[in-house]
């Protein structure tokens, strides 16, 4: 297997080998689909990630908690994440509850609508992939994520 800036060659069996480029292409293809759906609902990718973090929490969280969660997922700038939270507050998808933020019914309904719209797309994308292949891919992706997070932490000190 050799990799250059623009091409990835297949393994001895002819199957493509996972590498950073293949991972990036898969990520951006899937994200492109999701962003099309999100745009129809008037929400950005980062807004959806932040809103999901608020919805899936066991209790309302502080803005610092949400910033930390979104940053852990997206590696985004904390100031940009705070702007995203402000946008969600302005759009009445989040509300303040004392010192905490919680999703509104509208925010929950929006995520449910996006989920309903993306579910059949996800089924078409993921359907038919053997369980053992998904398990192997999951193990590899978890390892790549852990290693990349370690490298990022070293770079950002």
């Amino acid at each position: 297997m050799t990799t250059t800036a623009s091409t990835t060659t297949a393994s001895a069996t002819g199957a493509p080998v996972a590498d950073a480029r293949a991972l990036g292409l898969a990520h951006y293809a899937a994200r492109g689909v999701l962003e099309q759906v999100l745009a129809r609902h008037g929400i950005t990718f980062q807004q959806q990630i932040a809103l999901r973090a608020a919805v899936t929490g066991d209790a309302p969280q502080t803005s610092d908690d949400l910033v930390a969660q979104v940053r852990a997922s997206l590696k985004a700038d904390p100031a940009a994440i705070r702007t995203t939270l402000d946008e969600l507050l302005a759009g009445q998808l989040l509300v303040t509850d004392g010192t905490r933020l919680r999703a509104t019914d509208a925010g929950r309904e929006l995520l449910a609508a996006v989920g309903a719209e993306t579910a059949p797309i996800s089924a078409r994308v993921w359907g038919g992939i053997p369980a053992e292949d998904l398990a192997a891919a999951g193990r590899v992706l978890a390892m790549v994520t852990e290693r990349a997070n370690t490298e990022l932490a070293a770079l950002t000190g």
Side-chain angles (χ1 to χ4, degrees):
M1 163 72 192
T2 58
T3 303
T4 65
S6 62
T7 62
T8 300
T9 59
S11 68
T13 64
V17 175
D19 61 8
R21 181 175 183 274
L23 175 62
L25 290 172
H27 164 77
Y28 284 112
R31 183 169 169 175
V33 170
L34 177 58
E35 286 182 342
Q36 289 295 309
V37 173
L38 294 172
R40 286 198 289 269
H41 292 274
I43 189 170
T44 67
F45 181 76
Q46 189 159 303
Q47 288 170 337
Q48 181 254 351
I49 297 295
L51 185 56
R52 184 167 305 288
V55 166
T56 58
D58 292 333
Q61 301 170 64
T62 67
S63 60
D64 288 345
D65 293 337
L66 287 174
V67 167
Q69 285 183 50
V70 174
R71 187 163 192 226
S73 294
L74 299 181
K75 313 307 184 234
D77 175 56
I81 298 167
R82 288 189 187 286
T83 299
T84 296
L85 295 178
D86 290 342
E87 293 164 354
L88 293 170
L89 285 161
Q92 300 180 342
L93 299 172
L94 288 178
V95 293
T96 44
D97 186 359
T99 61
R100 302 193 178 272
L101 300 175
R102 67 174 173 78
T104 63
D105 288 342
R108 291 176 188 281
E109 290 168 8
L110 175 65
L111 285 181
V114 168
E117 192 170 337
T118 58
I121 298 168
S122 293
R124 289 190 298 274
V125 169
W126 292 94
I129 299 174
E132 60 273 8
D133 289 351
L134 292 173
R139 287 189 302 274
V140 170
L141 291 173
M143 194 179 331
V144 168
T145 300
E146 180 181 336
R147 290 176 179 182
N149 282 336
T150 299
E151 292 297 326
L152 181 61
L155 290 170
T156 59

